[in-house]
Amino acid sequence: MQTTANENGAGPRIRAAIDGLPPYSAGRSVRDAAGEGAVLELLGLAANEGPYGPFPSAAKAALEQVGKANLYPESGFRTLRGELARMLNVDVAEVAVGAGGIGLIHHLSVALLDEGTNIVVSTPTFHAYALDARKQGATTLSTPVREDGSYDLEAMLGLITEDTRIVYVCNPNNPTGGIVGREELLRFIDTVPEYVTIVVDEAYFEYAQSPEYTDTIAEPAFNRRNLVTLRTFSKAYGLAGLRVAYLVGSRELIAAVQKVESNYEVSNVAQAAALASLHEEAELTRRVGLNKDGRDALTTGLRELEFEPLESHGNFVYVKVGDAKAFTKALEGEGIIVRPGNAMGDPESVRITVGTPEQVKATIAAMGRVILSTAQHST
Ligand SMILES: Cc1ncc(COP(=O)(O)O)c(C=O)c1O
């Protein structure tokens, strides 16, 4: 096995694969800014969190479990997996639960990737895929997303090699918001070789309402030996702080993930909150509706400011602004934190999370002020 430069010297021998790897960098948060002594009241729209908090029943269930925090969580997450299986009409052996989508992507990477292998994605996209591949000594082969911000499945097919182990389909794609439709997704999975695992990342599933969009768990056509679907409680369910998500797919792949995940990695608090959230359909629908209205209002507002945002199917909008870092800094001066595309390989665009109706209005107004002050400075 390869080790780092200190091979012949003293000190710990760190694996070469993670030498020089940047630590995971999430979007800047209101907490980060507060830690730096920010005085302004900031609005955090950089992490695609749901703006409405957990469902009240989920918060109550979580609190009840806090009182039992001396006990280990349920091993194997049987109750939550069982309820997900019942609701999604699959077998419990086809469901894995993990500490967020990030945790599950990590487990898939550990289970499937070795040095010399590769993953295939479209970019810009969720950067945990490439980061976790790199930790395993694997590389990332990528092609740009299509003009509408959706994954370019056809181009991705051309990148697959004998060493490819995972192809990701981020649908809707973070950060661009585009989706691939049912027919093209089916054609794609029919063509991908069986030794390649297809991970359909549906972190934003609940928000995607287009008739073209498909439910890869419900539709039998997507029931394949080499396919798993990822969904999370972090977005529409408002539980990002509790770290809980699930995978549904072939027994072989689910068993592989369970072999590498650590026991108890999802707390009893998170399990209870997720379980309660599953029974809040009316409130979920209401929140998804609010998101759609907010997304439409944000998109329209940005167009009125002469930006050209991409049509989004998630809880965020992606828009070209020029110098993304400078724009983000100026907007933070107006009290709003958004995500510059730099870490995702696009230094010219920012991703803005859709907030409450009032937050959307505040975002548009702040962006207007930023443009005005930039214009004044350049004249
Ligand atoms: C596309 C995508 N997948 C997965 C995740 C992981 O979310 P979590 O780890 O909070 O479940 C995110 C979070 O932003 C995401 O955007």
Side-chain angles (χ1 to χ4, degrees), residues 260-344:
V260 299
E261 80 178 329
S262 24
N263 204 4
Y264 307 134
E265 73 171 30
V266 182
S267 73
N268 54 339
V269 178
Q271 289 185 51
L275 195 63
S277 301
L278 286 174
H279 300 282
E280 292 285 1
E281 261 175 53
E283 180 58 12
L284 180 67
T285 305
R286 192 182 78 84
R287 292 181 181 196
V288 165
L290 284 170
N291 178 70
K292 185 188 177 307
D293 295 346
R295 190 172 66 198
D296 289 349
L298 183 55
T299 307
T300 308
L302 291 174
R303 286 193 184 129
E304 282 167 8
L305 292 172
E306 296 186 0
F307 288 105
E308 291 175 5
L310 293 178
E311 185 191 350
S312 170
H313 298 263
N315 68 338
F316 51 87
V317 171
Y318 196 63
V319 61
K320 213 177 233 358
V321 292
D323 181 341
K325 272 200 174 153
F327 196 89
T328 303
K329 193 155 178 256
L331 207 53
E332 188 168 328
E334 296 291 332
I336 295 182
I337 307 181
V338 298
R339 184 89 200 256
N342 302 66
M344 295 170 280

Side-chain angles (χ1 to χ4, degrees), residues 24 47-48 99-103 105 126 129 170 172 174 201 203-204 230 232-235 240 243-245 351:
Y24 183 83
N48 295 348
I102 290 176
I105 290 163
F126 189 45
Y129 309 147
C170 192
N174 171 17
D201 184 343
Y204 301 96
L230 170 66
T232 180
F233 288 95
S234 293
K235 308 297 175 186
R243 315 305 305 130
V244 52
R351 188 195 67 199

